[in-house]
Amino acid sequence: MVSLRFPFSFSQPPNPRHRSSNSFSAAATAFSVAAASGAAVAAAVAVSQNPINPFLQNAFNFFSNHSSPFWASLSIADNPSSVSESKTGVLFPSILNDSRQLLGTGLRKKSVLGLKNIDVYAFGVYADDGDLKRLLSEKYGKLSFSERKDLSKDLMEADICMTVRLQIVYSRLSIRSVRNAFEESVGSRLQKLGGSDNKELLHRFTSQFKDEYKIPKGSVIDLSRERGHVLRTTIDGKEVGNIQSQLLCRSILDLYIGEDPFDRRAKEEVELKLVSLLQK
């Protein structure tokens, strides 16, 4: 079990800042629903008056055949360039750096003293679309989702440009806590995958998270594998270091899509998306 140390109390003040935006969103949703209902009625009336018009018939069929509420798709229609992590509502861009596709999102949770779970950060896993098709499509392009046994392993080992984006959701998280957590989690993966003493490599990575960096709620940490297995780390868009090491890159990715990931649902989502992309 990977642990995460937090040298502070866990009380969290209420956050009333979003009330006005929520009211606006509710009003916008109500308006959109009313407009959709009006469009459905108009389509029905038009079809009854002109049943041979194929365009009107198609419009009527669209509204009448969708059993789920029309407003259920509003979040996608409003912002098609981002995806919401299901448990926190944190938004992730669908594409990073012009070519890295969002494969899945998840949540890093931590149990404190076995009594309370806190949401530490939401994360999104990205991979370069061109690299995926160039390096994995031949093997997986014609396989079904049930035949994906080695897909995550191959993704982690291949020289595919990837990014794991972390968005902080716990308001009292410190950079020191992040550093300590990576010492344990990445350290255990280095030991498992490397099988030898990698303390120097681990220190090079964790020392990038200096005390001078502040990570309030909403901060973004990007852990990116670049060409040649170079791990590049950025905090809120500022690069804080890069390390060339296939073992380190593999160990980082193993936390999110390995055999024992932080969020198993997120790993399954990544694999499902991969199969979909590789079969296009």
Side-chain angles (χ1 to χ4, degrees), residues 101-103 129 132-134 137-138 140-143 272-280:
Q101 296 265 1
L102 178 62
L103 303 179
D129 186 53
L132 288 174
K133 293 176 179 177
R134 180 170 56 86
S137 61
E138 181 176 351
Y140 293 99
K142 296 182 180 180
L143 297 182
L272 184 62
K273 179 68 172 180
L274 273 173
V275 171
S276 174
L277 288 173
L278 293 173
Q279 291 180 343
K280 288 182 177 180

PDB file of all heavy atoms in Angstrom, residues 101-103 129 132-134 137-138 140-143 272-280:
ATOM      1  N   GLN A 101      -3.451  13.055 -26.890  1.00  0.00           N
ATOM      2  CA  GLN A 101      -4.864  12.799 -26.664  1.00  0.00           C
ATOM      3  C   GLN A 101      -5.101  12.393 -25.213  1.00  0.00           C
ATOM      4  O   GLN A 101      -4.335  11.619 -24.640  1.00  0.00           O
ATOM      5  CB  GLN A 101      -5.336  11.671 -27.578  1.00  0.00           C
ATOM      6  CG  GLN A 101      -5.274  11.986 -29.051  1.00  0.00           C
ATOM      7  CD  GLN A 101      -6.607  12.497 -29.580  1.00  0.00           C
ATOM      8  OE1 GLN A 101      -7.563  12.623 -28.840  1.00  0.00           O
ATOM      9  NE2 GLN A 101      -6.661  12.785 -30.860  1.00  0.00           N
ATOM     10  N   LEU A 102      -6.188  12.902 -24.648  1.00  0.00           N
ATOM     11  CA  LEU A 102      -6.589  12.473 -23.310  1.00  0.00           C
ATOM     12  C   LEU A 102      -7.157  11.060 -23.401  1.00  0.00           C
ATOM     13  O   LEU A 102      -8.124  10.810 -24.115  1.00  0.00           O
ATOM     14  CB  LEU A 102      -7.634  13.431 -22.744  1.00  0.00           C
ATOM     15  CG  LEU A 102      -8.177  13.082 -21.356  1.00  0.00           C
ATOM     16  CD1 LEU A 102      -7.062  13.105 -20.306  1.00  0.00           C
ATOM     17  CD2 LEU A 102      -9.286  14.053 -20.958  1.00  0.00           C
ATOM     18  N   LEU A 103      -6.552  10.134 -22.664  1.00  0.00           N
ATOM     19  CA  LEU A 103      -6.996   8.743 -22.688  1.00  0.00           C
ATOM     20  C   LEU A 103      -7.942   8.417 -21.538  1.00  0.00           C
ATOM     21  O   LEU A 103      -8.807   7.542 -21.671  1.00  0.00           O
ATOM     22  CB  LEU A 103      -5.789   7.801 -22.625  1.00  0.00           C
ATOM     23  CG  LEU A 103      -4.737   7.968 -23.721  1.00  0.00           C
ATOM     24  CD1 LEU A 103      -3.594   6.977 -23.506  1.00  0.00           C
ATOM     25  CD2 LEU A 103      -5.357   7.768 -25.097  1.00  0.00           C
ATOM     26  N   ASP A 129      -0.925  10.926 -30.285  1.00  0.00           N
ATOM     27  CA  ASP A 129      -1.740  10.140 -31.208  1.00  0.00           C
ATOM     28  C   ASP A 129      -0.891   9.499 -32.306  1.00  0.00           C
ATOM     29  O   ASP A 129      -1.052   8.326 -32.646  1.00  0.00           O
ATOM     30  CB  ASP A 129      -2.816  11.039 -31.820  1.00  0.00           C
ATOM     31  CG  ASP A 129      -3.791  10.264 -32.684  1.00  0.00           C
ATOM     32  OD1 ASP A 129      -4.359   9.276 -32.188  1.00  0.00           O
ATOM     33  OD2 ASP A 129      -3.991  10.638 -33.853  1.00  0.00           O
ATOM     34  N   LEU A 132       1.218   6.601 -30.907  1.00  0.00           N
ATOM     35  CA  LEU A 132       0.383   5.431 -30.629  1.00  0.00           C
ATOM     36  C   LEU A 132       0.166   4.601 -31.888  1.00  0.00           C
ATOM     37  O   LEU A 132       0.361   3.379 -31.893  1.00  0.00           O
ATOM     38  CB  LEU A 132      -0.967   5.864 -30.060  1.00  0.00           C
ATOM     39  CG  LEU A 132      -0.993   6.395 -28.632  1.00  0.00           C
ATOM     40  CD1 LEU A 132      -2.389   6.910 -28.291  1.00  0.00           C
ATOM     41  CD2 LEU A 132      -0.579   5.307 -27.639  1.00  0.00           C
ATOM     42  N   LYS A 133      -0.240   5.280 -32.954  1.00  0.00           N
ATOM     43  CA  LYS A 133      -0.552   4.568 -34.184  1.00  0.00           C
ATOM     44  C   LYS A 133       0.703   3.992 -34.845  1.00  0.00           C
ATOM     45  O   LYS A 133       0.670   2.915 -35.439  1.00  0.00           O
ATOM     46  CB  LYS A 133      -1.293   5.494 -35.130  1.00  0.00           C
ATOM     47  CG  LYS A 133      -2.675   5.861 -34.599  1.00  0.00           C
ATOM     48  CD  LYS A 133      -3.395   6.865 -35.478  1.00  0.00           C
ATOM     49  CE  LYS A 133      -4.782   7.157 -34.903  1.00  0.00           C
ATOM     50  NZ  LYS A 133      -5.504   8.181 -35.678  1.00  0.00           N
ATOM     51  N   ARG A 134       1.805   4.704 -34.709  1.00  0.00           N
ATOM     52  CA  ARG A 134       3.050   4.247 -35.327  1.00  0.00           C
ATOM     53  C   ARG A 134       3.627   3.031 -34.609  1.00  0.00           C
ATOM     54  O   ARG A 134       4.178   2.125 -35.256  1.00  0.00           O
ATOM     55  CB  ARG A 134       4.068   5.387 -35.316  1.00  0.00           C
ATOM     56  CG  ARG A 134       5.426   5.051 -35.927  1.00  0.00           C
ATOM     57  CD  ARG A 134       6.262   6.306 -36.085  1.00  0.00           C
ATOM     58  NE  ARG A 134       6.435   7.013 -34.829  1.00  0.00           N
ATOM     59  CZ  ARG A 134       7.393   6.748 -33.936  1.00  0.00           C
ATOM     60  NH1 ARG A 134       8.266   5.765 -34.178  1.00  0.00           N
ATOM     61  NH2 ARG A 134       7.485   7.450 -32.824  1.00  0.00           N
ATOM     62  N   SER A 137      -0.318   0.313 -33.341  1.00  0.00           N
ATOM     63  CA  SER A 137      -1.484  -0.048 -34.147  1.00  0.00           C
ATOM     64  C   SER A 137      -1.316  -1.399 -34.850  1.00  0.00           C
ATOM     65  O   SER A 137      -2.285  -2.135 -35.037  1.00  0.00           O
ATOM     66  CB  SER A 137      -1.791   1.045 -35.180  1.00  0.00           C
ATOM     67  OG  SER A 137      -0.704   1.217 -36.064  1.00  0.00           O
ATOM     68  N   GLU A 138      -0.100  -1.737 -35.245  1.00  0.00           N
ATOM     69  CA  GLU A 138       0.104  -3.008 -35.947  1.00  0.00           C
ATOM     70  C   GLU A 138      -0.265  -4.185 -35.054  1.00  0.00           C
ATOM     71  O   GLU A 138      -0.846  -5.177 -35.511  1.00  0.00           O
ATOM     72  CB  GLU A 138       1.565  -3.131 -36.405  1.00  0.00           C
ATOM     73  CG  GLU A 138       1.836  -4.417 -37.174  1.00  0.00           C
ATOM     74  CD  GLU A 138       3.260  -4.484 -37.696  1.00  0.00           C
ATOM     75  OE1 GLU A 138       3.987  -3.468 -37.604  1.00  0.00           O
ATOM     76  OE2 GLU A 138       3.650  -5.564 -38.198  1.00  0.00           O
ATOM     77  N   TYR A 140      -2.197  -3.978 -32.090  1.00  0.00           N
ATOM     78  CA  TYR A 140      -3.492  -3.897 -31.419  1.00  0.00           C
ATOM     79  C   TYR A 140      -4.627  -3.381 -32.303  1.00  0.00           C
ATOM     80  O   TYR A 140      -5.767  -3.329 -31.854  1.00  0.00           O
ATOM     81  CB  TYR A 140      -3.388  -2.998 -30.179  1.00  0.00           C
ATOM     82  CG  TYR A 140      -2.517  -3.587 -29.094  1.00  0.00           C
ATOM     83  CD1 TYR A 140      -1.197  -3.176 -28.934  1.00  0.00           C
ATOM     84  CD2 TYR A 140      -3.017  -4.562 -28.241  1.00  0.00           C
ATOM     85  CE1 TYR A 140      -0.393  -3.713 -27.938  1.00  0.00           C
ATOM     86  CE2 TYR A 140      -2.219  -5.106 -27.249  1.00  0.00           C
ATOM     87  CZ  TYR A 140      -0.908  -4.682 -27.092  1.00  0.00           C
ATOM     88  OH  TYR A 140      -0.123  -5.238 -26.115  1.00  0.00           O
ATOM     89  N   GLY A 141      -4.324  -3.005 -33.516  1.00  0.00           N
ATOM     90  CA  GLY A 141      -5.336  -2.386 -34.358  1.00  0.00           C
ATOM     91  C   GLY A 141      -6.546  -3.234 -34.645  1.00  0.00           C
ATOM     92  O   GLY A 141      -7.647  -2.715 -34.842  1.00  0.00           O
ATOM     93  N   LYS A 142      -6.388  -4.567 -34.639  1.00  0.00           N
ATOM     94  CA  LYS A 142      -7.500  -5.446 -34.978  1.00  0.00           C
ATOM     95  C   LYS A 142      -7.981  -6.278 -33.792  1.00  0.00           C
ATOM     96  O   LYS A 142      -8.808  -7.164 -33.946  1.00  0.00           O
ATOM     97  CB  LYS A 142      -7.098  -6.378 -36.122  1.00  0.00           C
ATOM     98  CG  LYS A 142      -6.793  -5.642 -37.427  1.00  0.00           C
ATOM     99  CD  LYS A 142      -6.448  -6.604 -38.547  1.00  0.00           C
ATOM    100  CE  LYS A 142      -6.154  -5.856 -39.840  1.00  0.00           C
ATOM    101  NZ  LYS A 142      -5.811  -6.778 -40.954  1.00  0.00           N
ATOM    102  N   LEU A 143      -7.455  -5.971 -32.585  1.00  0.00           N
ATOM    103  CA  LEU A 143      -7.851  -6.729 -31.408  1.00  0.00           C
ATOM    104  C   LEU A 143      -9.053  -6.097 -30.731  1.00  0.00           C
ATOM    105  O   LEU A 143      -9.245  -4.879 -30.775  1.00  0.00           O
ATOM    106  CB  LEU A 143      -6.691  -6.806 -30.403  1.00  0.00           C
ATOM    107  CG  LEU A 143      -5.424  -7.527 -30.869  1.00  0.00           C
ATOM    108  CD1 LEU A 143      -4.407  -7.560 -29.743  1.00  0.00           C
ATOM    109  CD2 LEU A 143      -5.742  -8.956 -31.324  1.00  0.00           C
ATOM    110  N   LEU A 272      -9.561   1.293 -22.692  1.00  0.00           N
ATOM    111  CA  LEU A 272     -10.702   1.322 -23.614  1.00  0.00           C
ATOM    112  C   LEU A 272     -10.514   2.388 -24.674  1.00  0.00           C
ATOM    113  O   LEU A 272     -10.773   2.167 -25.864  1.00  0.00           O
ATOM    114  CB  LEU A 272     -11.988   1.569 -22.820  1.00  0.00           C
ATOM    115  CG  LEU A 272     -13.293   1.534 -23.618  1.00  0.00           C
ATOM    116  CD1 LEU A 272     -13.482   0.153 -24.234  1.00  0.00           C
ATOM    117  CD2 LEU A 272     -14.472   1.872 -22.711  1.00  0.00           C
ATOM    118  N   LYS A 273     -10.035   3.565 -24.265  1.00  0.00           N
ATOM    119  CA  LYS A 273      -9.781   4.649 -25.198  1.00  0.00           C
ATOM    120  C   LYS A 273      -8.664   4.277 -26.179  1.00  0.00           C
ATOM    121  O   LYS A 273      -8.744   4.599 -27.386  1.00  0.00           O
ATOM    122  CB  LYS A 273      -9.421   5.925 -24.441  1.00  0.00           C
ATOM    123  CG  LYS A 273      -9.117   7.142 -25.316  1.00  0.00           C
ATOM    124  CD  LYS A 273     -10.355   7.628 -26.042  1.00  0.00           C
ATOM    125  CE  LYS A 273     -10.078   8.941 -26.750  1.00  0.00           C
ATOM    126  NZ  LYS A 273     -11.279   9.444 -27.471  1.00  0.00           N
ATOM    127  N   LEU A 274      -7.642   3.619 -25.690  1.00  0.00           N
ATOM    128  CA  LEU A 274      -6.538   3.195 -26.548  1.00  0.00           C
ATOM    129  C   LEU A 274      -7.022   2.262 -27.654  1.00  0.00           C
ATOM    130  O   LEU A 274      -6.667   2.438 -28.819  1.00  0.00           O
ATOM    131  CB  LEU A 274      -5.472   2.477 -25.709  1.00  0.00           C
ATOM    132  CG  LEU A 274      -4.409   3.332 -25.040  1.00  0.00           C
ATOM    133  CD1 LEU A 274      -3.556   2.476 -24.121  1.00  0.00           C
ATOM    134  CD2 LEU A 274      -3.544   4.034 -26.068  1.00  0.00           C
ATOM    135  N   VAL A 275      -7.816   1.268 -27.276  1.00  0.00           N
ATOM    136  CA  VAL A 275      -8.346   0.337 -28.269  1.00  0.00           C
ATOM    137  C   VAL A 275      -9.147   1.089 -29.321  1.00  0.00           C
ATOM    138  O   VAL A 275      -9.019   0.831 -30.520  1.00  0.00           O
ATOM    139  CB  VAL A 275      -9.211  -0.739 -27.587  1.00  0.00           C
ATOM    140  CG1 VAL A 275      -9.939  -1.579 -28.625  1.00  0.00           C
ATOM    141  CG2 VAL A 275      -8.346  -1.641 -26.701  1.00  0.00           C
ATOM    142  N   SER A 276      -9.946   2.052 -28.868  1.00  0.00           N
ATOM    143  CA  SER A 276     -10.761   2.831 -29.791  1.00  0.00           C
ATOM    144  C   SER A 276      -9.901   3.627 -30.773  1.00  0.00           C
ATOM    145  O   SER A 276     -10.159   3.650 -31.965  1.00  0.00           O
ATOM    146  CB  SER A 276     -11.675   3.777 -29.005  1.00  0.00           C
ATOM    147  OG  SER A 276     -12.384   4.649 -29.859  1.00  0.00           O
ATOM    148  N   LEU A 277      -8.846   4.258 -30.248  1.00  0.00           N
ATOM    149  CA  LEU A 277      -7.967   5.063 -31.108  1.00  0.00           C
ATOM    150  C   LEU A 277      -7.192   4.199 -32.102  1.00  0.00           C
ATOM    151  O   LEU A 277      -7.022   4.576 -33.264  1.00  0.00           O
ATOM    152  CB  LEU A 277      -6.987   5.863 -30.243  1.00  0.00           C
ATOM    153  CG  LEU A 277      -7.525   7.041 -29.453  1.00  0.00           C
ATOM    154  CD1 LEU A 277      -6.453   7.600 -28.533  1.00  0.00           C
ATOM    155  CD2 LEU A 277      -8.044   8.130 -30.375  1.00  0.00           C
ATOM    156  N   LEU A 278      -6.720   3.050 -31.660  1.00  0.00           N
ATOM    157  CA  LEU A 278      -5.887   2.205 -32.497  1.00  0.00           C
ATOM    158  C   LEU A 278      -6.680   1.497 -33.588  1.00  0.00           C
ATOM    159  O   LEU A 278      -6.109   1.027 -34.584  1.00  0.00           O
ATOM    160  CB  LEU A 278      -5.163   1.169 -31.644  1.00  0.00           C
ATOM    161  CG  LEU A 278      -4.105   1.735 -30.686  1.00  0.00           C
ATOM    162  CD1 LEU A 278      -3.558   0.643 -29.769  1.00  0.00           C
ATOM    163  CD2 LEU A 278      -2.980   2.411 -31.442  1.00  0.00           C
ATOM    164  N   GLN A 279      -7.995   1.419 -33.433  1.00  0.00           N
ATOM    165  CA  GLN A 279      -8.820   0.759 -34.432  1.00  0.00           C
ATOM    166  C   GLN A 279      -9.387   1.718 -35.459  1.00  0.00           C
ATOM    167  O   GLN A 279     -10.088   1.302 -36.357  1.00  0.00           O
ATOM    168  CB  GLN A 279      -9.956  -0.010 -33.740  1.00  0.00           C
ATOM    169  CG  GLN A 279      -9.471  -1.211 -32.957  1.00  0.00           C
ATOM    170  CD  GLN A 279     -10.584  -1.968 -32.290  1.00  0.00           C
ATOM    171  OE1 GLN A 279     -11.693  -1.463 -32.124  1.00  0.00           O
ATOM    172  NE2 GLN A 279     -10.310  -3.195 -31.878  1.00  0.00           N
ATOM    173  N   LYS A 280      -9.079   3.002 -35.329  1.00  0.00           N
ATOM    174  CA  LYS A 280      -9.571   3.985 -36.298  1.00  0.00           C
ATOM    175  C   LYS A 280      -8.745   3.933 -37.571  1.00  0.00           C
ATOM    176  O   LYS A 280      -7.551   3.669 -37.545  1.00  0.00           O
ATOM    177  CB  LYS A 280      -9.505   5.405 -35.702  1.00  0.00           C
ATOM    178  CG  LYS A 280     -10.553   5.632 -34.623  1.00  0.00           C
ATOM    179  CD  LYS A 280     -10.485   7.058 -34.109  1.00  0.00           C
ATOM    180  CE  LYS A 280     -11.573   7.330 -33.078  1.00  0.00           C
ATOM    181  NZ  LYS A 280     -11.518   8.704 -32.560  1.00  0.00           N
TER     182      LYS A 280
END
